[in-house]
Amino acid sequence: MLDSKIPSGALENKWNDYKGHCKLVNPANKRKLEIIVVGTGLAGASAAASLGELGYKVKAFCFQDSPRRAHSIAAQGGINAAKNYQNDGDSIFRLFYDTVKGGDYRAREANVHRLAEVSVNIIDQCVAQGVPFAREYGGLLNNRSFGGTQVKRTFYAAGQTGQQLLIGAYQALERQVALGNVKMYNRHEMLDVVIIDGKARGIICRNLVNGELERHFGHAVLLCTGGYGNVFYLSTNAMGSNVTAIWKAHKKGAYFGNPCFTQIHPTCIPVTGDHQSKLTLMSESLRNDGRIWVPKKLNETRKANDIPEEERDYYLERRYPAFGNLVPRDVASRAAKERCDAGYGVGTTKQAVYLDFKYNLINKYGKAEANKHGIENPDEETLIRLGKEVVKEEYGNLFDMYEKITGENPYEVPMRIYPAVHYTMGGLWVDYELMTTVKGLYCLGEANFSDHGANRLGASALMQGLADGYFVIPYTIGNYLADEIATKPIPTSHEAFAHTEKTVADRINSLMGIKGKQSVESFHKRLGKIMWEKCGMARNEQGLKEAITEIQQLNKEFWSDLRIPGETNEMNPELDKAGRVADFIELGELMCMDALNRNESCGGHFREESQTEEGEAKRDDANYAYVSSWEYKTESNWEMHKEPLQFEVAKPSQRSYK
């Protein structure tokens, strides 16, 4: 039976009550305890820095050459916090409610409320670290809007918020490295968890520079390794982002929660051909000031600027008048797909819609700037020139990025965008303390399932990563480690370490020994095609059953015809990639099984058999108000456990943004 360890009492008091009654480890005893942190993005860097600051002996691992290369740097638009600086009615409760509703009532209430509570502390922490958040004229921190909300609560640093936040966390981490409280292992990839007497006691990792396997002990292990969107091959994730760390933990007994909940981001630069290996995101913040539209005429051939206003369909504003262009990501993505499938798409592939800034350049910013400068009756050219300066300050690097990739100037012509795989709401199942079903094994940030339900609201990923690392795990891990003070460090000569290392070595040798004809990349690409077409933006029973069969066949082919050049005991990126793709193939099968089992539509999981007459997602609370938590048994064999979701405050209702 899954025990989520949610504290009793009123929702708004749970976290404070927990902090007041959890076990503590005194400073002298902290120095006796060793903690392993895998991954150094926002969740990992903030956790390692915080735990080092508290006095624990921390070992941090990343497969990049520096923690500053973690994929957290790619986040563009902002981070949510219920500060109500705009005095527009925001509150901790409203952030909590928006997050639960945005996740289509498939998140755990207690975790989400805690997230909303600590969000206000995150901003103070980051400002103290020197994160250069945008500020208003008077010097106060500025905010902008994101999808799924009707208030401005998103703090930002132009279009590079993730990078600035990661630099803040990285500085805190490096300070602890310099003090000797954290030992950093760059270019190391975790390949298995060592479990002794039912508790996580260390990891086996591969030194990616020389190929050697290493053993590392820890009284507890924290996995902070991000999401698994690259199972689709094409995604907005960094090329190295993978599922391996949490997948190894899953196969050692950690349950996997809601694997099929994938977020499709509506604002990405469209696919241009088979040559691409990744996609580029254009921040959701652009939907603040851009209006999304398609031509009203089928198979339109005119250029965007040649189509008059009355012949444009601002379909989000038409369908969802209350939220307009700021509907949540899943809603905006499906609406774009529907228009393109109906023949109204634009661009050479017809798989794109327009994101147009001209209206707001002139009317919102241009006119305001003209008034500031005392310019009466300005012409359109002057309004656009003045408006451009404001937009450059807010989004400049995003516009530059778009122009470099497409060769088109988005100040002059509308951007072309289309949905793409972005974030994964599924991940290892964790309880209220962020511990998995394996004792002593924790999971933080995007790698766990806990806070976003079936759809993450924009600007909440950075919030969760930093909340988990700075403000949650420092309390909850003490509740476990207080009972481990007497446990002496276990030597890595222990038979459990030796056995686990041998298992890892045998798998590497098996991969190298296949000596087939097909490249790792070709298998990954084929997996991605199956996943996108049959477990992507829309899913149905027949397609999911076909996908499971096709993935099983692909797996057999992978293990019989894979070719990996190079040697084992050297730097070998193809070998690294092969291990990750092998894990993706297994994960893909589980994702399809989970999607097939969940015969409802909710958030990013859209089953074609379960939709309203208007084509909206149709939830089934009577039968599916639970977390699907999968236990690995044997190859292609999982057992599902259910964690029922109780909604005492945010009562489930049909999601409406109209």
Side-chain angles (χ1 to χ4, degrees):
M1 184 69 184
L2 290 169
D3 179 10
S4 57
K5 296 184 186 170
I6 297 171
S8 58
L11 184 65
E12 63 273 18
N13 297 329
K14 288 181 189 294
W15 180 231
N16 273 336
D17 286 350
Y18 175 90
K19 289 190 292 182
H21 296 91
C22 63
K23 297 173 187 172
L24 298 176
V25 181
N26 80 39
N29 285 330
K30 286 190 177 88
R31 291 193 288 272
K32 302 174 185 173
L33 297 167
E34 299 179 33
I35 300 173
I36 288 172
V37 178
V38 183
T40 52
L42 285 182
S46 59
S50 300
L51 296 171
E53 181 78 40
L54 287 172
Y56 293 107
K57 293 167 69 176
V58 180
K59 287 186 271 191
F61 296 80
C62 71
F63 65 71
Q64 298 94 342
D65 55 2
S66 163
R68 281 186 59 178
R69 292 194 184 276
H71 186 56
S72 299
I73 69 157
Q76 298 167 345
I79 175 171
N80 288 332
K83 284 286 201 183
N84 194 31
Y85 282 172
Q86 303 294 325
N87 198 28
D88 56 0
D90 201 11
S91 64
I92 286 171
F93 177 83
R94 199 172 289 275
L95 174 53
F96 153 74
Y97 180 79
D98 285 345
T99 306
V100 173
K101 178 185 175 184
D104 220 350
Y105 301 93
R106 291 293 174 263
R108 189 191 285 153
E109 266 195 344
N111 286 64
V112 177
H113 199 278
R114 175 175 66 187
L115 179 64
E117 287 177 66
V118 303
S119 70
V120 296
N121 301 331
I122 295 170
I123 304 304
D124 298 339
Q125 171 91 358
C126 295
V127 169
Q129 289 173 337
V131 173
F133 286 122
R135 292 178 183 267
E136 294 178 321
Y137 177 75
L140 299 176
L141 297 186
N142 205 356
N143 293 110
R144 56 187 175 206
S145 303
F146 258 63
T149 70
Q150 291 179 303
V151 297
K152 288 186 175 183
R153 67 161 66 99
T154 304
F155 295 79
Y156 64 97
Q160 48 182 268
T161 314
Q163 181 174 350
Q164 298 302 332
L165 289 172
L166 186 65
I167 289 171
Y170 170 74
Q171 288 174 160
L173 171 64
E174 286 301 310
R175 178 172 178 270
Q176 296 306 315
V177 171
L179 291 171
N181 298 328
V182 177
K183 186 166 173 52
M184 191 67 229
Y185 293 86
N186 300 337
R187 302 292 289 146
H188 281 67
E189 181 169 26
M190 179 198 124
L191 293 180
D192 214 340
V193 184
V194 178
I195 296 178
I196 300 173
D197 297 329
K199 294 179 179 179
R201 291 301 193 196
I203 62 171
I204 304 296
C205 60
R206 183 169 183 266
N207 182 321
L208 299 182
V209 176
N210 59 27
E212 291 179 3
L213 295 180
E214 299 178 5
R215 309 172 184 181
H216 294 276
F217 165 80
H219 288 90
V221 176
L222 277 57
L223 303 183
C224 314
T225 51
Y228 49 86
N230 277 348
V231 69
F232 290 88
Y233 185 68
L234 283 181
S235 83
T236 66
N237 287 256
M239 295 287 288
S241 297
N242 63 82
V243 76
T244 291
I246 61 172
W247 194 250
K248 300 307 186 193
H250 172 55
K251 294 183 83 169
K252 277 290 181 74
Y255 293 3
F256 208 112
N258 297 334
C260 81
F261 285 170
T262 306
Q263 180 167 75
I264 313 292
H265 198 296
T267 322
C268 298
I269 298 178
V271 177
T272 55
D274 285 341
H275 61 284
Q276 279 180 273
S277 52
K278 84 174 296 296
L279 296 172
T280 303
L281 175 71
M282 288 287 104
S283 169
E284 180 176 311
S285 61
L286 294 172
R287 289 199 273 148
N288 270 297
D289 296 312
R291 299 177 74 198
I292 294 173
W293 62 277
V294 292
K296 287 183 179 177
K297 182 180 154 191
L298 270 172
N299 303 311
E300 177 65 76
T301 55
R302 287 176 291 177
K303 291 181 178 177
N305 288 343
D306 295 336
I307 301 172
E309 189 70 21
E310 63 272 12
E311 294 182 38
R312 300 179 178 189
D313 177 16
Y314 295 94
Y315 59 88
L316 290 178
E317 296 171 37
R318 169 173 56 81
R319 287 180 62 175
Y320 309 102
F323 282 74
N325 295 297
L326 288 172
V327 291
R329 292 175 176 179
D330 60 319
V331 177
S333 294
R334 282 195 298 274
K337 181 179 188 295
E338 185 275 328
R339 286 291 81 192
C340 292
D341 290 350
Y344 296 94
V346 301
T348 52
T349 63
K350 299 298 181 187
Q351 291 295 300
V353 299
Y354 288 128
L355 178 58
D356 196 337
F357 296 89
K358 190 173 182 183
Y359 178 86
N360 277 329
L361 274 177
I362 296 170
N363 292 293
K364 182 177 175 182
Y365 293 122
K367 287 182 178 177
E369 288 298 297
N371 287 334
K372 280 187 201 173
H373 290 84
I375 302 171
E376 293 186 19
N377 303 316
D379 57 20
E380 186 175 293
E381 187 180 334
T382 302
L383 290 173
I384 290 175
R385 178 176 56 80
L386 292 170
K388 264 188 192 178
E389 295 306 312
V390 182
V391 171
K392 271 183 184 174
E393 196 173 311
E394 291 229 357
Y395 310 109
N397 61 312
L398 299 174
F399 279 60
D400 295 343
M401 193 191 309
Y402 182 87
E403 186 170 9
K404 280 181 182 174
I405 292 170
T406 66
E408 296 177 355
N409 184 341
Y411 292 109
E412 295 170 5
V413 297
M415 286 184 180
R416 285 175 291 109
I417 57 166
Y418 193 71
V421 171
H422 181 52
Y423 187 92
T424 48
M425 285 75 68
L428 291 188
W429 183 92
V430 292
D431 60 24
Y432 189 72
E433 298 183 327
L434 305 184
M435 193 191 289
T436 68
T437 47
V438 175
K439 286 183 180 178
L441 181 66
Y442 293 81
C443 191
L444 283 64
E446 188 180 356
N448 75 32
F449 89 98
S450 69
D451 290 12
H452 307 297
N455 173 59
R456 176 176 68 83
L457 287 185
S460 287
L462 307 183
M463 176 173 64
Q464 188 207 346
L466 292 179
D468 287 356
Y470 282 139
F471 298 109
V472 178
I473 200 67
Y475 286 96
T476 62
I477 200 167
N479 212 34
Y480 171 74
L481 291 177
D483 296 327
E484 296 295 320
I485 295 164
T487 304
K488 297 281 189 290
I490 299 169
T492 53
S493 56
H494 189 284
E495 61 179 356
F497 279 93
H499 174 73
T500 309
E501 183 184 318
K502 183 179 184 305
T503 303
V504 170
D506 289 348
R507 188 169 190 267
I508 290 172
N509 292 332
S510 296
L511 285 166
M512 293 298 294
I514 298 169
K515 302 198 181 299
K517 297 178 181 174
Q518 299 184 58
S519 68
V520 178
E521 195 79 356
S522 67
F523 282 106
H524 194 183
K525 209 167 189 176
R526 285 165 62 191
L527 172 67
K529 192 171 191 304
I530 296 168
M531 293 299 295
W532 178 247
E533 290 180 355
K534 295 177 179 176
C535 195
M537 253 200 285
R539 300 110 186 248
N540 60 54
E541 183 178 359
Q542 181 186 343
L544 290 165
K545 286 179 175 176
E546 289 171 358
I548 291 169
T549 303
E550 290 171 20
I551 291 169
Q552 289 173 347
Q553 181 56 43
L554 185 71
N555 196 31
K556 287 177 186 165
E557 199 177 328
F558 177 92
W559 284 98
S560 61
D561 199 26
L562 174 69
R563 176 179 57 82
I564 303 174
E567 302 297 327
T568 304
N569 296 314
E570 64 180 17
M571 182 184 282
N572 190 339
E574 284 299 295
L575 174 58
D576 306 337
K577 197 191 299 181
R580 296 166 193 168
V581 171
D583 294 331
F584 274 141
I585 292 173
E586 294 178 7
L587 167 70
E589 184 179 354
L590 178 60
M591 288 173 70
C592 293
M593 284 178 62
D594 189 43
L596 183 62
N597 167 76
R598 191 171 284 276
N599 196 10
E600 65 163 351
S601 290
C602 58
H605 168 66
F606 190 74
R607 281 290 293 269
E608 292 173 354
E609 303 93 333
S610 185
Q611 54 183 301
T612 66
E613 291 178 3
E614 296 173 320
E616 304 292 348
K618 190 176 179 183
R619 233 177 39 244
D620 181 357
D621 292 328
N623 295 304
Y624 294 99
Y626 60 76
V627 178
S628 54
S629 192
W630 297 86
E631 178 186 5
Y632 179 81
K633 294 291 190 182
T634 55
E635 185 178 337
S636 297
N637 179 23
W638 286 268
E639 180 184 348
M640 188 180 75
H641 304 267
K642 298 179 183 178
E643 179 199 339
L645 292 169
Q646 308 292 334
F647 295 96
E648 298 170 11
V649 178
K651 299 294 184 188
S653 61
Q654 184 63 36
R655 242 186 355 155
S656 174
Y657 294 94
K658 296 183 178 181

